[in-house]
Amino acid sequence: MASQFYIVATPIGNLSDITLRSVEVLKQIDYIACEDTRVTRILCEKYGFSAKLFDCHKFNEKERSEKILSLIEEGKRIALVSDAGTPGISDPGCVLIQELLNNGVKITSLPGACAVTTFLSMLPRKTEEYAFIGFIPRQKKQQIEILNKHKYTNCVFYESPNRLKETLENIQEIYGYNKKIAVGRELTKVFEEVKIGEVKEILDYYNNNPLKGEIVAMVFASENSEVSDEELIEKIKILKDEGFSQKDISKIISKLYNVNKNHVYKMVLD
Ligand code: SAM
């Protein structure tokens, strides 16, 4: 083994989604630092890993780095795993890694399952570029800010099934009902489902079908030809100067540019 510290990706649902190299390493390792020992024990039992487990999660990552550093000094080999997928991707890891790097520890990362890449590889994208924002903020105002920031880039995020519909309604309000989005649910699992379409269609679908399990979603990049809020504001100003009423301006702009009327109305009022 070339390293004393390994970051190991584990399955995101289907327990067979683990690489041969990861299995070899996890068989030889002395300790596995994991988010929840009960979750990782299931993997250990399936593959016969006998390493000692200890927890390392977002609430104790800093203090665990001291434990890991002293184990490394004793010559032990350690792996970091999360409950599912790749550590450090919307999961603990970054604080610990910084501490290890500060102390000159060689780190090896073993690639494997990750909900973002599993999802992206199934989507018909026009460009390679994407922004991954982790869990999308809960507040509508923050959602609008972050989605606007990445308007011209495919924007991928994690979301809970309980909040997805509200988030999709916000996306519909920002971009209009025909904005193209994709939702991946329960990837690699028995009830895997991927929906690609206009936000309105997908909202209708989830209003009539169960929405449970783990979710990753993407808002497709707006084309440069799609009009930006700044450009809309310019047009609104012109119509205002021509004496059109606030109601008529909202109607005209939303029809002409296919943008949600309430969104335009807010800009008119501002
Ligand atoms: N580190 C993980 C990775 O590499 O994907 C992500 C960990 S994050 C705490 C967990 C979130 O990832 C879930 O709430 C869900 O949004 C997304 N996720 C994880 N597994 C998934 C799956 N099988 N299908 C869809 N989304 C998934």
Side-chain angles (χ1 to χ4, degrees):
M1 293 177 79
S3 195
Q4 272 191 284
F5 187 82
Y6 289 84
I7 295 159
V8 183
T10 55
I12 56 166
N14 186 323
L15 280 191
S16 298
D17 290 333
I18 184 162
T19 69
L20 293 173
R21 185 174 171 218
S22 296
V23 170
E24 273 168 29
V25 166
L26 289 174
K27 276 190 174 157
Q28 294 176 51
I29 220 85
D30 301 301
Y31 290 89
I32 300 176
C34 53
E35 276 185 277
D36 184 335
T37 52
R38 290 164 303 180
V39 174
T40 300
R41 196 154 282 126
I42 298 170
L43 197 70
C44 292
E45 277 165 16
K46 177 164 170 72
Y47 288 99
F49 304 145
S50 55
K52 294 189 190 78
L53 305 186
F54 63 87
D55 64 356
C56 177
H57 44 68
K58 65 177 174 184
F59 302 109
N60 70 358
E61 211 180 329
K62 178 103 171 100
E63 67 184 77
R64 282 299 190 233
S65 22
E66 283 159 31
K67 175 178 171 124
I68 289 170
L69 279 167
S70 61
L71 286 170
I72 288 173
E73 260 173 42
E74 287 169 26
K76 304 288 190 222
R77 293 152 310 173
I78 299 150
L80 173 72
V81 303
S82 49
D83 282 351
T86 303
I89 305 299
S90 288
D91 263 339
C94 295
V95 173
L96 170 62
I97 286 158
Q98 185 62 65
E99 290 294 317
L100 298 185
L101 290 176
N102 289 348
N103 285 276
V105 175
K106 177 172 163 35
I107 297 174
T108 301
S109 174
L110 306 190
C114 176
V116 184
T117 48
T118 305
F119 183 52
L120 274 173
S121 61
M122 314 166 82
L123 299 182
R125 289 165 292 133
K126 286 188 184 158
T127 62
E128 275 301 330
E129 203 185 354
Y130 67 89
F132 171 58
I133 59 177
F135 281 97
I136 193 162
R138 291 175 184 210
Q139 302 297 323
K140 182 174 173 181
K141 188 169 168 272
Q142 289 168 318
Q143 286 191 353
I144 293 175
E145 263 169 30
I146 201 151
L147 290 171
N148 269 333
K149 183 170 156 199
H150 300 295
K151 185 167 180 176
Y152 298 108
T153 311
N154 295 309
C155 186
V156 191
F157 59 88
Y158 290 154
E159 179 55 299
S160 104
N162 304 329
R163 287 191 296 270
L164 182 72
K165 281 204 256 177
E166 205 177 307
T167 296
L168 296 187
E169 277 158 11
N170 293 340
I171 291 170
Q172 183 168 251
E173 191 176 321
I174 303 166
Y175 293 109
Y177 60 83
N178 61 354
K179 181 70 192 166
K180 189 172 172 186
I181 63 155
V183 176
R185 193 170 68 83
E186 295 285 84
L187 299 181
T188 78
K189 303 187 200 177
V190 177
F191 295 106
E192 170 170 317
E193 178 182 74
V194 175
K195 292 270 160 210
I196 304 171
E198 294 183 352
V199 60
K200 182 184 179 302
E201 288 166 3
I202 294 180
L203 257 174
D204 283 351
Y205 176 81
Y206 287 127
N207 281 329
N208 294 296
N209 290 279
L211 178 47
K212 285 192 222 147
E214 299 196 278
I215 306 281
V216 51
M218 186 173 96
V219 178
F220 282 80
S222 296
E223 303 277 332
N224 276 330
S225 58
E226 284 178 43
V227 69
S228 69
D229 280 359
E230 289 73 29
E231 288 166 289
L232 289 178
I233 289 166
E234 284 299 306
K235 313 285 176 206
I236 289 169
K237 276 186 189 148
I238 296 171
L239 293 176
K240 265 189 177 168
D241 291 345
E242 290 297 322
F244 284 89
S245 71
Q246 292 179 332
K247 216 170 136 195
D248 283 346
I249 296 176
S250 313
K251 213 187 221 168
I252 294 166
I253 297 281
S254 74
K255 278 260 183 267
L256 277 180
Y257 296 102
N258 200 15
V259 185
N260 180 277
K261 208 158 83 183
N262 292 334
H263 182 57
V264 180
Y265 190 62
K266 274 188 201 135
M267 285 192 280
V268 173
L269 291 182
D270 288 348

